Amino acid sequence: MPGVASDFWEAVGNTPLIRLRRASERTGCEILGKAEFMNPGGSVKDRAALGILGDAVKRGQLTPFQPGTVVEGTAGNTGIGIALAANARGWKSVIVVPETQSREKLAFLRMIGADLRLVKPAPLSSPDHYVNYSRRLAEEMGAVWANQFGNLANAAAHEATTGPEIWEQTGGKVDAFTCACGTGGTLHGVAAALKSRKPGVRIVLADPYGSGMASWVKTGEVKAEGNSITEGIGQASKVPGNLEGAPIDDALRVSDEEALEQVYSLLIDEGLSVGGSAGINVAAAIRVAEGLGPGHTVVTILCDGGARYQSKLFNPEFLREKGLPTPPWMG
Ligand code: PMP
């Protein structure tokens, strides 16, 4: 039947592009958010999960409904996408996550049947960093290592789906695209898709404090300072394989204060519940729009939903401890 998605895999993508009223009114531009929190796994990373697992099937590493195991190191959302997509194909998933990630994401991973392995936060140079740990575990188990940072099937999924969807939904009337990078898959894939259709489109990387990607774009040197409570974005020391070679025009840094202002306003003024990385993205889109001037269209990504961070972004006690603003209606 034409209107039916056959399963989880077919239900991923084709998310709405939502006009962000306050950001648009403030800038005189159309600021549009791609509602990736509406994917069945609740985040933009469902697309990467499908891209990576679909590629593993093509390579013969996994066969639908035959025994198979996927291992991944993740801030949480990729793990959720992989675990659900694996459930839908009869595979097992082993998900390695730093214990500092929100307890909602960890509880959700357990709930959906992932074999969850918590690790202590460690620098990328350490064998105990969650990415290195997951690679080693996959080798030991003889399982498929998803490798979202280095596996280019990640960016390719966004080049094939997210980017073309934005192009279609705006009727090609897109002047700029901005988003933060975890693996860089979203930014690279969308940027490549948009630039191939409209070379003049402006691509801007948004970076939280504690990440060195903005300085890398601007100076070629990865230099991080400060820190952020956002999850899933920013790289302190290394440019991920999926970000390398992305056609990026500029970069800017966004503070947690600025991001939280957007997270709270999107929720209470517009009914859109989003996480911290979406706040960074919308704040960046506003600044890009201000730079372009009225009459332009700027697209960004609403990566995941706010309920994933209730214990952090909507927890006045936690926020006060960090010296950050609290949701005005929560006291
Ligand atoms: N926002 C959130 C909440 C995420 O979990 C991630 C992925 N880790 C991103 C943004 C960044 O996406 P990408 O890996 O495609 O750069």
Side-chain angles (χ1 to χ4, degrees):
M1 282 176 268
V4 175
S6 64
D7 64 0
F8 176 96
W9 285 52
E10 277 193 19
V12 172
N14 290 313
T15 52
L17 189 60
I18 303 178
R19 177 172 191 265
L20 307 181
R21 178 174 50 81
R22 288 198 122 206
S24 299
E25 283 170 0
R26 175 168 154 186
T27 56
C29 288
E30 289 298 296
I31 299 196
L32 311 174
K34 186 86 168 129
E36 292 301 294
F37 59 84
M38 290 176 72
N39 280 307
S43 88
V44 66
K45 301 300 305 209
D46 285 4
R47 297 182 190 259
L50 253 52
I52 288 168
L53 296 184
D55 183 65
V57 170
K58 260 194 228 135
R59 291 170 188 276
Q61 297 168 326
L62 289 167
T63 307
F65 306 107
Q66 298 291 317
T69 302
V70 188
V71 179
E72 182 59 321
T74 155
N77 281 332
T78 304
I80 291 168
I82 284 179
L84 294 172
N87 286 353
R89 288 285 185 273
W91 305 318
K92 293 192 182 329
S93 53
V94 181
I95 305 296
V96 182
V97 186
E99 63 187 16
T100 47
Q101 301 307 292
S102 82
R103 62 171 183 253
E104 290 85 350
K105 283 193 290 195
L106 304 181
F108 193 63
L109 279 160
R110 283 194 196 95
M111 184 188 104
I112 61 179
D115 178 351
L116 182 63
R117 312 285 176 101
L118 293 181
V119 294
K120 298 220 175 306
L124 188 56
S125 54
S126 159
D128 295 326
H129 183 272
Y130 67 97
V131 172
N132 302 327
Y133 187 102
S134 70
R135 184 204 300 121
R136 208 166 54 241
L137 193 61
E139 279 165 16
E140 284 165 15
M141 296 177 68
V144 174
W145 183 45
N147 183 22
Q148 58 170 327
F149 290 92
N151 186 339
L152 301 182
N154 168 0
H158 291 286
E159 186 169 0
T161 68
T162 326
E165 285 172 32
I166 290 169
W167 183 257
E168 294 295 323
Q169 286 168 311
T170 56
K173 200 188 161 317
V174 48
D175 299 300
F177 174 76
T178 180
C179 81
C181 289
T183 62
T186 309
L187 183 68
H188 195 163
V190 172
L194 295 180
K195 287 262 190 196
S196 74
R197 290 163 173 84
K198 185 177 182 178
V201 69
R202 191 165 174 75
I203 306 295
V204 181
L205 183 151
D207 218 19
Y209 281 82
S211 173
M213 296 301 96
S215 100
W216 170 69
V217 168
K218 285 180 156 314
T219 70
E221 196 190 341
V222 178
K223 229 172 127 195
E225 57 179 86
N227 53 56
S228 171
I229 64 164
T230 57
E231 296 183 20
I233 53 172
Q235 294 300 330
S237 56
K238 187 172 178 278
V239 180
N242 268 292
L243 183 56
E244 264 171 37
I248 301 170
D249 298 298
D250 199 4
L252 46 83
R253 277 209 179 98
V254 181
S255 70
D256 284 354
E257 284 84 354
E258 208 181 332
L260 286 173
E261 184 191 329
Q262 295 309 321
V263 169
Y264 300 151
S265 171
L266 284 171
L267 183 51
I268 211 68
D269 300 319
E270 306 191 42
L272 298 170
S273 169
V274 301
S277 65
I280 297 263
N281 287 351
V282 173
I286 290 171
R287 280 209 243 151
V288 170
E290 284 169 349
L292 290 171
H296 294 90
T297 299
V298 181
V299 175
T300 192
I301 302 284
L302 308 178
C303 318
D304 68 356
R308 222 148 252 195
Y309 309 96
Q310 267 178 42
S311 63
K312 290 187 168 177
L313 306 183
F314 299 94
N315 175 356
E317 210 174 304
F318 170 85
L319 293 161
R320 270 196 287 270
E321 232 168 67
K322 299 269 176 200
L324 289 167
T326 55
W329 66 97
M330 287 180 83

